[in-house]
Structures are given as C-alpha cells and as structure tokens.
Amino acid sequence: MTDERKEWICPKCNVSNDPDFTHCRICGEHNPALPVPEKKCTSCGYLASKETCCPVCGSNYFLQL
C-alpha cells in the first residue's frame, strides 16, 4: 500500500512541507489545502474545524476563534 499524500508547498515562502504539517515549518503560514480552524478545545488547545468533540482528549467544550 502506498501513501498518496504529497508534500505541500507554502504559497508565502515556497518551502516544501511534510503532509502532516498544518502550518509552514519556516514562516507559519496555514496549509491552504486544510480547512481553517474555527474553534479551540478548552481542555488541550487542539484547533478544530467541524468536529463536535476533540479527537485528542474527547472533550466537547470549544471556544470559537
């Protein structure tokens, strides 16, 4: 089985980034292929978009960003 995910290129500084990175490793620009986080878990700080409970800690309390 091959991994189909590819590295992404930062539109701001043109640096190649690992597919797991949500932000550029050099300048911090958000990966444009990912949804922009809309809320933050109050327990662990995970940035989420559409989730109803945190995939990291299981909390269902979020703060809107």
Side-chain angles (χ1 to χ4, degrees), residues 1-12:
M1 184 190 273
T2 59
D3 189 14
E4 295 295 324
R5 299 180 325 150
K6 296 180 182 177
E7 293 183 344
W8 60 277
I9 305 296
C10 175
K12 186 175 180 181

Side-chain angles (χ1 to χ4, degrees), residues 6-17 24 30-32:
K6 296 180 182 177
E7 293 183 344
W8 60 277
I9 305 296
C10 175
K12 186 175 180 181
C13 66
N14 293 323
V15 172
S16 177
N17 290 285
C24 177
H30 185 267
N31 181 349

Side-chain angles (χ1 to χ4, degrees), residues 5-50:
R5 299 180 325 150
K6 296 180 182 177
E7 293 183 344
W8 60 277
I9 305 296
C10 175
K12 186 175 180 181
C13 66
N14 293 323
V15 172
S16 177
N17 290 285
D18 189 84
D20 292 328
F21 291 176
T22 58
H23 290 79
C24 177
R25 61 187 169 87
I26 301 298
C27 70
E29 185 77 11
H30 185 267
N31 181 349
L34 298 177
V36 177
E38 299 173 0
K39 52 193 174 180
K40 184 176 184 177
C41 177
T42 57
S43 297
C44 69
Y46 176 81
L47 295 175
S49 54
K50 304 289 183 203

